[in-house]
Amino acid sequence: MNQKGLLMVISGPSGTGKGTLVKHLLKRNNRIQLSVSATTRNPRPGEVDGVNYFFLKEAEFKEKLAQDEFLEHAEVYGNYYGTPKAFVEDQLNKGQSVLLEIDIVGALQIREKFEEVVFLFVIPPSLKELQRRIKTRGTETQEQMAKRMDSALEEIKELKQYDYVILNDQIHKATRLIESIVEAELASVKRSQSYWLDLFGVGR
Ligand code: 5GP
């Protein structure tokens, strides 16, 4: 029997550098898997189906929803997003930790369904930097950018729903912080005791 992996949720407004941070974290840690979400939004330049997202038509998404294939789902900026259930459960059982990069609506659904989830919130170094990062992303219309700035500020208000703040001023520092959290959480008695007691054959 191996110890079950850790389920983690990582959220944070667009413009926090969350995507780059997650990529860096995964590259350094082969015991952490990213859950690839399904979405009905159009792919951005460079995005690949099955890698960044599973890009679905609305009817396909709704059918999967009806079949109970999502762990959680939400409508964000007019599109649907959902976490495929099978992959997450499979990886956790194999002892892999799984990261869900989802918004607050989805995060709250996960909190209801699973007891032992770790919630990480990525925060930009300053308001000015947040504005700069949203602007320089450059793939959106003015109206979409304004919408993202407003919702970024709304999202930051939800910080209190999370367990850890990840200040993303330096990517290496932020990555190390997440790695330390994973190690500490996996070593916590509440999470690991049944594994150790079984290993030494002393029952529970
Ligand atoms: P984007 O379209 O910029 O990739 O993502 C927009 C928002 O949707 C982000 O806040 C992202 O975290 C969220 N998101 C991505 N995948 C999922 C998902 O599977 N479920 C939920 N609830 N939110 C998601």
Side-chain angles (χ1 to χ4, degrees):
M1 185 187 114
N2 52 10
Q3 192 185 343
K4 231 181 152 187
L6 183 69
L7 182 59
M8 288 175 285
V9 167
I10 190 162
S11 309
S14 61
T16 51
K18 187 181 46 173
T20 317
L21 173 60
V22 166
K23 257 192 228 142
H24 194 250
L25 178 75
L26 296 173
K27 220 161 128 190
R28 283 170 46 123
N29 297 275
N30 58 9
R31 300 297 306 269
I32 304 177
Q33 303 294 324
L34 181 68
S35 156
V36 178
S37 297
T39 182
T40 59
R41 86 149 158 74
N42 292 325
R44 296 198 185 106
E47 284 185 333
V48 177
D49 187 39
V51 175
N52 304 90
Y53 283 104
F54 294 106
F55 294 100
L56 302 180
K57 301 250 179 311
E58 197 169 317
E60 292 172 314
F61 189 97
K62 289 195 166 153
E63 197 188 314
K64 287 184 185 293
L65 189 59
Q67 305 283 331
D68 197 26
E69 287 184 30
F70 295 123
L71 221 49
E72 61 72 39
H73 70 281
E75 197 185 332
V76 189
Y77 312 124
N79 292 301
Y80 294 104
Y81 294 80
T83 302
K85 200 189 264 182
F87 175 83
V88 174
E89 290 176 348
D90 189 45
Q91 294 297 318
L92 291 177
N93 288 332
K94 281 187 190 155
Q96 292 281 334
S97 291
V98 180
L99 193 58
L100 310 182
E101 191 186 332
I102 60 177
D103 78 327
I104 174 83
V105 179
L108 294 177
Q109 291 174 45
I110 295 291
R111 208 191 254 297
E112 303 249 301
K113 279 194 192 157
F114 295 87
E115 273 174 23
E116 295 183 345
V117 185
V118 174
F119 290 83
L120 312 173
F121 194 89
V122 184
I123 202 145
S126 66
L127 181 62
K128 227 171 155 183
E129 180 59 18
L130 177 68
Q131 281 166 331
R132 196 192 63 79
R133 289 184 190 177
I134 288 181
K135 268 198 197 127
T136 52
R137 190 166 186 166
T139 53
E140 327 258 318
T141 63
Q142 278 293 336
E143 192 200 344
Q144 280 171 326
M145 277 197 291
K147 219 163 143 189
R148 279 186 186 249
M149 192 64 211
D150 283 349
S151 28
L153 298 177
E154 277 303 307
E155 276 182 61
I156 289 174
K157 273 199 220 157
E158 300 295 337
L159 188 66
K160 55 185 177 296
Q161 311 271 9
Y162 287 74
D163 300 315
Y164 296 96
V165 178
I166 312 297
L167 175 70
N168 195 17
D169 57 347
Q170 289 174 37
I171 191 149
H172 287 91
K173 228 167 84 188
T175 305
R176 274 202 304 276
L177 175 58
I178 299 177
E179 288 167 349
S180 311
I181 293 167
V182 174
E183 274 183 47
E185 287 283 342
L186 283 174
S188 71
V189 169
K190 78 169 188 254
R191 219 178 278 285
S192 67
Q193 64 172 327
S194 55
Y195 171 77
W196 295 115
L197 295 182
D198 281 352
L199 189 82
F200 288 99
V202 288
R204 298 186 196 181

